Amino acid sequence: MGAGDRRALSAVQAAAAGAPSDILHLDMDAFFASVEVLDDPTLAGKPVVVGGTGGRGVVASASYAARRFGVFSAMPMAEARRRCPGLIAVPGRFGRYSEVSAALMGLLREVTPLVEPVSLDEAYLDVSGAHGLWGTSEQIAVALRGRVHAALALSCAVGVGRTKLIAKLASKAAKPPADEGGTLAGAGVLIVRAGEEEAFLLGQPIRAIPGVGPRSAERLARYGIATVADARQLERAGFVRLFGSSHGNALCDLIAGIDPRRVEPEREVRSIGHEETFASDDADLASLQRKARRMADAVAARCRRAAVVGRTVTVKVRFSDFSTINRSRTLAHPAATGAEIGAVAAALLEALELGRGVRLLGVHVSGLVSRDEGAEQLELFPAASSEPDGSLDAGTRERRLELEAAADAVRRRFGEGALWPPRGDDGGPARP
Amino acid sequence: MKFRTERDGLLEALVTAGRAAGSRGGGMGSPSIQLSLRGNQLEVTGSDPDLVIDVRTGVVGEADGVTLVPSRLVGDIVRALEPGTVGVVADEEEVRISSGRAEFVVRVPVGAEISRLSQLEGESITLPAARFAEGLRQVVRAALTDDTRAPQLTGVLMVATESGMRLVATDSYRLALRDLEGLSALEPGAEVLVPARALTEIQRLVGSGTDDTPLVFRHSELDAVFEIGEVRLTTRLLRGPFPDYQRLLPPSYPYALTTDREEFAGALRRVRLMVRDAKDATTPVRVTFSPEGAELTVLTAESGRAVERVDGRFSGDELTVAFNPSYLLDGVEAIRSETVLLQVIDASKPATLRGDGEDEYSYLLMPVRVS
């Protein structure tokens, strides 16, 4: 049975009213801020935020004490300081957060191997096979919360439902309510059983549905849609017209409570990438492009080692204020060389406003297929205009691939520093 | 402006003209349609910067005039009305549409404008509509649909030949070529590059018409006009250079598979089910030729595989060539003869699909390289 069949089956199973509530969603409370408080106990109980402390910084994470003042993540730092004069803002330490996250995921995997991390502080678990050892889903959820608190001294919320959607909405509902009126203790664990699902879902604000961002929510509000119940009035065709076919259909399903997504523990490698955090912010396009090209070479070498090629090149930019954006371009042909990946990354950077200063830069290749299977559609004649997407014509690519593969061999033998792009190859000094 | 008419005729005119008032309009506001009444003749015009569609329809006119209406809204309104008489009254600010007990008062869009391409006069040629449309059906499919890469490839080249006219389209992966003998729409040596989008509309307008339906064609350096029945379509022409397609036609083919068109198409449709995304160019169908026919295989890492044998004759040694299954199927479906020939050289040179005895049509297709 292929992966596709299993997906289809699980959709059918989930749709059956009797399906058990076996999916857990665990979400850490104010993760970055809590880790800061953990590492510096003098901050306990104080309004702490993690985020860019400069003039245009934004809040990445806010402690519950800060939330009592109406400070929330994604809020401009200046606004946060206005609302909370005693605010303690600390710059983020992502290395440390990753460390704590790894410990957290380790704890979760003791319960079941079916753990799908979503981000540093969030994961889905499928506990259908864990009942014998750990009890009911509800018992597992409660136990997990206790174990996380005991081992990491951090708190979290756990939602339980038949689908990822319900589990995620449930964990959100189990969180300490943090509106401007004050913070109350949250339930910590919420289980939504099959019979309660419909009522639970209908009462959700539309904004809570994954994939509905502020812009989508605003668009729906124009049609008088504020809750899932409102959205049920809109026909599928309406969603498709508003959001396009793929997003519209997916949204319509979620609103109907249809979510066939499985917990996918070992997601096949979906992208190969390289990221670097700079010692000082870099706002210079040429310098960033040079760095991107260098990273692209490293990414291409890793792709070749894994014998994969990918069609989508993404650059990730985190600015000095912690806001992070990704920009992607999908090529007509899979990119296999550093030259191609680097050219696309450089073009993507060119289209960005980098004046705020870049703290972290990443270059990723996704849409990976194995090189043996990854096929290339040949062309009748050289594409009439091959420049816009940065892909090379077949002959040039072939030669470039040979060249870079030879460089791989040299580096394997003599070390990473044995070779680097010649001066002028990318219009600047070769080494950073 | 004031007139009465039957709902169905008005709806048809609004829908047809509305196809040119799509989202491509660069103007302000939502797409608009112009209604223009003179006597008992209503002209409904939809336009964007590249395409204008005018539809004339007879009405009972009471007061001449011109107005703009929001395309989608008025289309939806007229479609929803009960069949029967529709009354339309317009002044400078609003348009009143009434039928039975329903009445709609629609504001005239502000800031909207109808673009007008040049009014082409001069010599026109009459084409046999059904034959021309059949040629379009075979060729338009090979044109590029996304114009960001190479705008000139989103067109179909119409070129005068010694004995008629030739239609050519290519998206750089495949190329379709159809000769229309004895059909001369262009002065000798002339060629025009017509957007495939406009030609798709022509196909739709001709519909199931016969060759007796005249299709009138005129063109200038910049624009072309097609008139069929009460509909006039004006399109901006594309600028070349169109690829030198004649250079691409291989002089000869060493091998050919001869097989039944429907059997081949059916097998392709089935094995293609394993390809999740039809636009996914990276999952090919491998065609393994042998003297008794061909075997089609689609292999994917994620979903599994599909294999199907197709009976036929192959004039060569065993050979495997991989293709984008959708492109290959497009070509097979374009052929009219019941027997198709798939001619190949090797796994990296263009293959050609033809119909048996159908020399006027060729569909060239580059393979997919699997390493």
Side-chain angles (χ1 to χ4, degrees):
Chain A
M1 191 159 67
D5 298 331
R6 278 200 301 274
R7 247 201 307 281
L9 256 180
S10 78
V12 172
Q13 283 163 352
S21 298
D22 277 340
I23 296 183
L24 269 59
H25 180 255
L26 180 141
D27 194 359
M28 301 301 289
D29 295 339
F31 184 58
F32 300 165
S34 301
V35 172
E36 293 301 330
V37 173
L38 187 69
D39 290 353
D40 179 359
T42 66
L43 296 175
K46 295 188 179 150
V48 178
V49 295
V50 173
T53 50
R56 281 186 286 182
V58 296
V59 174
S61 172
S63 75
Y64 281 88
R67 292 186 197 188
R68 258 177 237 130
F69 289 90
V71 172
F72 298 102
S73 49
M75 177 180 283
M77 193 61 80
E79 171 67 14
R81 286 188 197 283
R82 200 186 58 72
R83 292 190 179 199
C84 177
L87 192 72
I88 302 167
V90 296
R93 295 176 300 148
F94 284 89
R96 172 67 181 142
Y97 307 149
S98 305
E99 208 175 282
V100 178
S101 175
L104 168 70
M105 299 303 167
L107 277 176
L108 304 186
R109 289 195 183 97
E110 287 175 17
V111 173
T112 170
L114 298 179
V115 175
E116 178 184 332
V118 181
S119 62
L120 289 178
D121 60 345
E122 219 186 307
Y124 287 104
L125 290 84
D126 180 341
V127 297
S128 51
H131 298 309
L133 225 51
W134 299 89
T136 65
S137 295
E138 192 162 14
Q139 286 166 336
I140 296 173
V142 171
L144 265 179
R145 248 190 120 231
R147 287 165 71 89
V148 168
H149 196 265
L152 304 173
L154 293 171
S155 63
C156 62
V158 184
V160 186
R162 294 186 305 141
T163 60
K164 280 184 164 179
L165 171 70
I166 295 296
K168 170 137 186 155
L169 294 172
S171 74
K172 172 101 176 156
K175 289 245 163 193
D179 55 24
E180 299 186 32
T183 312
L184 304 165
V189 170
L190 179 66
I191 176 158
V192 177
R193 294 193 172 78
E196 307 153 358
E197 203 171 88
E198 182 72 359
F200 175 72
L201 189 59
L202 285 178
Q204 294 289 328
I206 194 71
R207 186 75 175 74
I209 301 297
V212 179
R215 286 224 320 264
S216 309
E218 192 183 301
R219 250 160 142 188
L220 287 165
R222 264 183 253 146
Y223 292 80
I225 294 170
T227 65
V228 170
D230 297 338
R232 288 275 180 92
Q233 306 300 316
L234 187 59
E235 284 173 32
R236 182 170 292 269
F239 284 102
V240 169
R241 204 164 55 231
L242 277 171
F243 300 107
S245 142
S246 91
H247 188 196
N249 276 309
L251 213 54
C252 189
D253 284 348
L254 287 178
I255 280 159
I258 302 169
D259 181 10
R261 293 174 299 162
R262 293 179 308 150
V263 174
E264 294 183 65
E266 278 168 60
R267 288 203 246 179
E268 45 187 311
V269 184
R270 286 188 179 168
S271 74
I272 287 185
H274 195 84
E275 292 184 0
E276 279 179 32
T277 305
F278 306 132
S280 58
D281 295 346
D282 190 343
D284 178 44
L285 174 65
S287 153
L288 286 165
Q289 287 180 322
R290 217 148 49 226
K291 288 169 177 161
R293 286 178 200 271
R294 180 166 46 76
M295 288 184 211
D297 278 334
V299 171
R302 283 174 55 198
C303 286
R304 285 191 293 272
R305 220 174 305 146
V308 293
V309 290
R311 284 176 63 194
T312 302
V313 176
T314 304
V315 295
K316 172 175 170 183
V317 173
R318 177 169 294 141
F319 292 102
S320 53
D321 62 4
F322 279 95
S323 59
T324 305
I325 56 173
N326 290 292
R327 289 290 180 272
S328 306
R329 181 172 293 169
T330 298
L331 308 177
H333 309 292
T337 66
E340 275 173 295
I341 299 166
V344 177
L348 288 169
L349 279 174
E350 187 143 26
L352 290 177
E353 177 49 61
L354 302 166
R356 275 178 282 172
V358 174
R359 166 178 299 243
L360 174 146
L361 178 66
V363 176
H364 297 260
V365 173
S366 56
L368 299 177
V369 288
S370 85
R371 202 164 52 206
D372 292 341
E373 212 190 340
E376 181 194 349
Q377 171 68 57
L378 302 174
E379 295 193 42
L380 283 161
F381 46 87
S385 56
S386 60
E387 74 287 347
D389 74 356
S391 55
L392 304 170
D393 72 76
T396 313
R397 184 165 46 239
E398 203 94 315
R399 286 192 298 280
R400 185 73 208 195
L401 195 56
E402 276 173 32
L403 183 72
E404 293 192 13
D408 288 348
V410 172
R411 289 197 181 106
R412 260 200 306 278
R413 186 148 174 212
F414 299 106
E416 287 297 320
L419 274 175
W420 55 89
R423 177 178 290 267
D425 185 53
D426 54 8
R431 304 233 77 182
Chain B
M1 184 176 71
K2 185 173 180 185
F3 64 87
R4 276 176 299 127
T5 185
E6 282 299 304
R7 183 201 68 167
D8 291 353
L10 181 60
L11 179 59
E12 197 186 323
L14 286 169
V15 167
T16 302
R19 290 212 192 89
S23 51
R24 289 164 66 105
M28 293 162 61
S30 61
S32 299
I33 279 185
Q34 179 180 277
L35 305 181
S36 162
L37 178 69
R38 187 187 290 175
N40 286 332
Q41 178 90 275
L42 179 71
E43 189 170 273
V44 182
T45 307
S47 75
D48 70 17
D50 300 318
L51 183 66
V52 178
I53 298 181
D54 290 297
V55 187
R56 286 185 304 270
T57 179
V59 300
V60 180
E62 289 178 34
D64 289 359
V66 178
T67 188
L68 285 176
V69 296
S71 161
R72 188 172 297 156
L73 178 61
V74 168
D76 287 348
I77 290 172
V78 174
R79 185 177 293 113
L81 293 174
E82 297 288 340
T85 305
V86 180
V88 177
V89 183
D91 61 26
E92 282 178 5
E93 278 160 15
E94 52 194 37
V95 181
R96 195 171 294 264
I97 302 168
S98 52
S99 170
R101 279 183 271 180
E103 184 174 68
F104 290 84
V105 178
V106 176
R107 234 168 262 140
V108 170
V110 183
E113 53 187 69
I114 288 291
S115 64
R116 285 254 163 229
L117 302 180
S118 60
Q119 295 290 321
L120 278 182
E121 300 303 333
E123 206 177 330
S124 66
I125 290 140
T126 302
L127 299 169
R131 216 174 137 217
F132 184 66
E134 171 62 16
L136 292 179
R137 183 190 76 81
Q138 291 185 300
V139 169
V140 169
R141 60 186 66 216
L144 191 64
T145 46
D146 149 32
D147 64 359
T148 56
R149 194 160 65 99
Q152 70 274 33
L153 299 187
T154 61
V156 171
L157 187 74
M158 290 171 59
V159 49
T161 58
E162 277 176 22
S163 52
M165 181 170 77
R166 175 175 279 182
L167 304 175
V168 192
T170 177
D171 61 5
S172 86
Y173 305 124
R174 63 255 175 86
L175 179 145
L177 182 154
R178 169 71 199 265
D179 282 319
L180 292 160
E181 293 298 316
L183 198 156
S184 49
L186 299 160
E187 51 281 20
E191 52 181 51
V192 291
L193 191 51
V194 187
R197 177 176 165 236
L199 295 174
T200 303
E201 293 304 331
I202 297 292
Q203 279 175 266
R204 211 195 303 252
L205 290 170
V206 172
S208 51
T210 62
D211 268 355
D212 299 338
T213 319
L215 174 65
V216 176
F217 173 74
R218 273 198 297 273
H219 77 96
S220 69
E221 288 283 302
L222 296 174
D223 306 319
V225 177
F226 295 85
E227 284 175 30
I228 177 156
E230 298 302 307
V231 182
R232 184 174 63 226
L233 180 149
T234 311
T235 175
R236 211 175 275 292
L237 295 174
L238 293 167
R239 289 178 169 279
F242 196 78
D244 180 6
Y245 64 92
Q246 301 196 50
R247 198 173 48 86
L248 301 171
L249 308 175
S252 69
Y253 281 95
Y255 314 117
L257 169 76
T258 309
T259 187
D260 181 75
R261 184 193 65 203
E262 278 315 300
E263 193 189 330
F264 196 33
L268 276 168
R269 281 186 212 109
R270 282 185 287 274
V271 297
R272 189 177 60 160
L273 293 173
M274 298 307 291
V275 183
R276 204 160 28 136
D277 177 2
K279 285 183 197 138
D280 173 8
T282 59
T283 306
V285 55
R286 288 164 211 246
V287 184
T288 301
F289 301 97
S290 63
E292 300 79 39
E295 187 169 272
L296 311 180
T297 311
V298 171
L299 275 172
T300 73
E302 191 167 314
S303 311
R305 67 173 187 275
V307 183
E308 182 160 342
R309 273 207 62 79
V310 177
D311 291 333
R313 289 193 320 275
F314 183 65
S315 65
D317 297 330
E318 190 147 303
L319 171 71
T320 298
V321 185
F323 297 100
N324 175 319
S326 298
Y327 292 172
L328 184 55
L329 183 59
D330 259 355
V332 175
E333 286 176 341
I335 288 182
R336 292 182 301 160
S337 319
E338 282 173 18
T339 303
V340 297
L341 269 67
L342 174 56
Q343 301 169 311
V344 291
I345 301 170
D346 63 32
S348 63
K349 298 218 171 58
T352 298
L353 276 162
R354 287 176 201 281
D356 189 23
E358 189 183 335
D359 293 337
E360 64 272 22
Y361 182 67
S362 320
Y363 181 91
L364 255 75
L365 171 61
M366 277 308 274
V368 164
R369 178 158 59 205
V370 285
S371 42

